[in-house]
Amino acid sequence: MTRARWPWAALPLLALGVAVTSRHARHLPRRIPPPGPVLPLPDGPTHTLLSGPPGAPPLLLIHGSDGVTLDWPLCPLWPLLDGAYLIAPDRPGHGYTPARPGTPVTLELNVRRLTQLLDHLNVPQVTVLGHSYGAAVALALAARHPERVSALVLIAPLSHPARGLTRPLAFVPLVPGLEALLTRALLLPVGRIVARIEGRRAFHPHPVPPMWHTLMLAFSRRRAQVHALAGENRTLGRELAALQAHYPALTVPVTVLAGRQDRLSPPTQHADRLTPLLPDATQLDLPGGGHQLHWTHPHEVAGAVRAALGVASRASGPPDA
C-alpha cells in the first residue's frame, strides 16, 4: 500500500474507534449504576454516596485525580469506617458528577462544590479524609473554610509543586486535532495501556486489585474525565505553590499517612515537607506502603480516621439536650 493511501485506510478503524468509545460511555450507567443520589447543587449536579446514620460523626471522603467515589466502597477500608456518617462525592468531571463545559477543574472549584454539598446536607463541620489530589483539596478546604473542618486525615498527599507533577499528556487536550483523535477514537486502547501502567505505579510494591483495574477501565476512559484529569494536572503545580503559604496557619489536627515506596506522591517531595509546616500534625510512615494505602493498609488508615473522629467529637462537646 502506498504512503498516500495510508490515511484513507485508517479512516474505517478511526470510525470504529469513535463508535465503540461512544458506546462505552453511553452504556456505563447501565453496567455500573451510580450507587448514590445525584444532588442538585448550585454549581451543578453532584453524585454523592451516603452511608451510615446521619446523626453519627460525619466523615467527608475525597478521592484522588482520575478516581471516582466508587473506589471507596470497593476498598477494604470502607467496612472499617462503620459508626461514621460517610459522605463521598464524585468530584467535578469524575464519575457521575459532570463538570460544566469550559470550566477548568481546579482546587478552588472542588472546594466550592464541597461547601455547597455540606450546606445541602446540613453538615456544619466535618472530618475530612483525602487521598492524593483529594488531600490537596482537603488542605484547600481547611485553608479557605477552617470553620467547616474539624480534623484532616491525608493519605499520600500531594502538597507541594514538584518535578514530574505535571504530565505531558495533560496538554494533549489543548490541541484540537490531537484531542479529537485521543478522546474520540483512540481512548479505549490508549486508556487501557495507561491504566495498566498507572495502576502498577499506584499500587507499587503491591499487586493491582482486579476490582480496582476494572473500575479504572470503566471510568477513566471517558472524554469528560480525561479533560478533568488533564485540567487538574495542568493547574495543580501553581495552585500548590499558592496553597503552601497557608499551611502554617492551619490549626486543625492533621494526620498524614505516607507510604515510603509511593511512586506517585513520593513522601520526600510531599508528606515530609508538609508535616513540619502544620502546627498540629502527626505523620505515620508505612515502610511497605505505596500510593493506595486505603487498599493496602486499611487498618492503619482506619485507626487514623477513628482517632480524628474522636478528636472532632470531643471538640464539638456533648449534644444539646
Side-chain angles (χ1 to χ4, degrees), residues 58-59 77 80-81 84 127-130 150-156 253-258 280-286 293-294 297-314:
L59 178 68
L77 171 67
L80 303 178
L81 301 178
T127 298
V128 184
L129 173 64
S150 53
L152 295 176
V153 179
L154 309 178
I155 305 171
V254 182
T255 303
V256 179
L257 294 107
D280 186 7
T282 302
Q283 182 167 320
L284 175 61
D285 287 326
L286 300 171
L293 297 175
H294 51 303
H297 293 71
H299 291 280
E300 290 85 345
V301 177
V305 170
R306 282 194 294 268
L309 288 170
V311 168
S313 298
R314 289 194 295 272

Side-chain angles (χ1 to χ4, degrees), residues 163-182:
R163 182 182 301 174
L165 191 64
T166 301
R167 308 287 185 85
L169 276 176
F171 295 94
V172 170
L174 298 178
V175 183
L178 288 178
E179 188 278 338
L181 184 65
L182 173 65

